[in-house]
Amino acid sequence: MAFQPMRVDWVASPPPGAYPHRRLAPPPRPYAGPPSYPVPPRWGFPLLAWRWPTSVAGEAAEDSVEQVQRLARTAFHVLGLAALTLLWAAGSEIWRYALLLQSRYGALSPTTVNVSDAMLRSASILALIMVLGGVVFTFLWLRRARAAAASAAGYAPSRSDAEVLVGLLVPGLNLVMAGSIAAELEHAALRLPATARPSPSRLVRWWWGLWAAAGLWAVFTVAWSFRTSVQALADGVLLHAVSDLLATAVVVLTMVLVRRITTLLLPVAPSTLRRMRVVELRDAPAPELRAVRSHASPR
């Protein structure tokens, strides 16, 4: 009896869990109409009025004319306070000189002298603080204005920020460099070509002349204060008053110059704008009215 080998077929099957279970997608929900809210929704666009464009999307932050305008307003207000305190200091010096003239004919009241001293000291301290604040904010405005003017004119400034800072802070050098920096800024704000030589306007020339005169007068006043004679001390009071008046004139012209340069940097001149308003409608079709809806009706 012969034996035949048994034929066996091997079948391999994956173990349980080898493949992830296929999740069936939920059946699409039928359309139930527009969404409804229990209360009026509060999302949406902000309520902003239309305004003239002053910047371009993607423009660098330091070149934004809006930031130049904000810094110009701040510097304008601080410089205005500095001008008022300088006038106060000049008035205190003039009153002190009048008291010196009056003291030649008799003794002064201690109360009057104390009030004059208090006014002079307080005015000097406040004027110094406000002038320093005006210098700081004017420097910040100048940095932004130079960047915005360079972006509008299409060429880089001829001086870096460090050179401008040195040229305006170093005594003696600032009397010469201040006018050149102001003329170059005005040249770029007017969008004039880089190949043309800057020609300062009458405002820049007046500001430059007063700046140099006030600086030279301040040096002369400080040098005069080293004299110890009675007449020299009396004359020093009058010199301080004139120095305060010159500084006031420089501050006021700086305010005007800041406003002029900021106006030149605007893409649209404010003088060319004309406010428009609707006065009357003629031969216009009647507008389509909305359906009256009760406040308690479902939305």
Side-chain angles (χ1 to χ4, degrees), residues 10-180:
W10 295 91
V11 179
S13 60
Y19 297 100
H21 295 284
R22 182 177 300 176
R23 297 182 180 180
L24 300 178
R29 298 176 57 183
Y31 178 72
S36 61
Y37 304 93
V39 294
R42 298 183 180 275
W43 49 265
F45 294 102
L47 298 177
L48 296 177
W50 184 88
R51 59 185 178 180
W52 290 96
T54 55
S55 60
V56 182
E59 188 179 7
E62 60 269 16
D63 300 344
S64 175
V65 182
E66 295 181 358
Q67 293 190 1
V68 176
Q69 287 182 289
R70 287 195 294 268
L71 287 174
R73 285 193 295 266
T74 305
F76 192 86
H77 294 157
V78 178
L79 289 174
L81 294 176
L84 292 178
T85 53
L86 285 171
L87 283 178
W88 181 18
S92 301
E93 296 284 358
I94 294 174
W95 187 30
R96 171 61 63 88
Y97 189 75
L99 292 178
L100 290 176
L101 295 178
Q102 186 180 357
S103 65
R104 296 185 302 172
Y105 306 102
L108 299 176
S109 171
T111 304
T112 304
V113 176
N114 293 333
V115 171
S116 177
D117 291 340
M119 287 184 58
L120 190 59
R121 292 174 183 174
S122 57
S124 300
I125 294 174
L126 289 177
L128 179 61
I129 294 175
M130 299 311 302
V131 167
L132 290 178
V135 169
V136 171
F137 284 107
T138 304
F139 276 140
L140 294 177
W141 167 85
L142 179 62
R143 178 177 176 272
R144 297 291 188 184
R146 292 179 71 249
S151 177
Y155 51 84
S158 59
R159 293 182 176 89
S160 63
D161 294 337
E163 293 175 352
V164 171
L165 189 63
V166 171
L168 293 178
L169 292 182
V170 175
L173 182 62
N174 54 5
L175 300 180
V176 181
M177 295 294 297
S180 300

